[in-house]
């Protein structure tokens, strides 16, 4: 992975928050991410597709839902950046994290 490509992919607020949420929780469904970020499905999916295209995320379809997690072949330095940024900047995405956790634990969730 090229560091320039990696950081360019993270230069968008939505993509960065999405990646930090995925890094913090391990795996996220599109519907839960939509709830956490307050975005519609097309916009959420477009940003996730960009992260997948950059080689940062992989997806897995389960029925009609798509789940995203960090690419297993992501270099250690890139994982370290993601995990350290998530650990040190919870105020940046803490509100979205609370919404994500609530959505994931809700019995009314779409997934």
């Amino acid at each position: 992975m090229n560091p320039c490509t990696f950081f360019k992919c993270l230069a968008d607020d939505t993509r960065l928050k999405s990646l930090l949420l995925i890094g913090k929780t391990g795996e996220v469904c599109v519907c839960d991410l939509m709830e956490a970020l307050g975005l519609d499905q097309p916009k959420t999916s477009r940003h996730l597709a960009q992260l997948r295209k950059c080689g940062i995320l992989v997806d897995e379809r389960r029925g009609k839902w798509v789940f995203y997690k960090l690419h297993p072949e992501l270099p250690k330095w890139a994982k370290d950046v993601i995990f350290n940024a998530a650990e040190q900047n919870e105020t940046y995405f803490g509100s979205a994290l609370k919404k994500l956790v609530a959505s994931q634990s809700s019995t009314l969730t779409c997934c």
Side-chain angles (χ1 to χ4, degrees):
M1 160 137 327
N2 179 323
C4 188
T5 302
F6 176 78
F7 286 108
K8 279 183 181 180
C9 281
L10 303 185
D12 177 87
D13 184 58
T14 299
R15 287 193 297 272
L16 179 57
K17 281 183 181 170
S18 297
L19 188 59
L20 294 177
L21 290 168
I22 293 167
K24 191 79 170 170
T25 61
E27 180 180 71
V28 175
C29 177
V30 172
C31 64
D32 291 328
L33 204 52
M34 288 168 40
E35 185 70 29
L37 298 173
L39 299 173
D40 61 17
Q41 185 274 325
K43 187 169 186 171
T44 305
S45 292
R46 186 170 50 250
H47 284 289
L48 291 168
Q50 183 65 36
L51 289 167
R52 192 179 66 241
K53 182 179 174 186
C54 291
I56 298 172
L57 297 179
V58 293
D59 64 337
E60 177 184 337
R61 181 169 292 281
R62 297 181 198 156
K64 66 178 184 174
W65 300 109
V66 180
F67 290 80
Y68 288 85
K69 62 183 177 182
L70 295 179
H71 196 295
E73 295 178 16
L74 197 61
K76 183 185 179 321
W77 66 264
K79 288 180 184 176
D80 288 346
V81 167
I82 295 165
F83 295 139
N84 287 331
E87 190 66 32
Q88 300 298 319
N89 293 285
E90 210 165 290
T91 56
Y92 171 67
F93 70 105
S95 172
L97 182 60
K98 287 178 187 173
K99 291 177 189 175
L100 177 69
V101 170
S103 179
Q104 289 177 325
S105 63
S106 171
T107 58
L108 301 175
T109 187
C110 56
C111 302

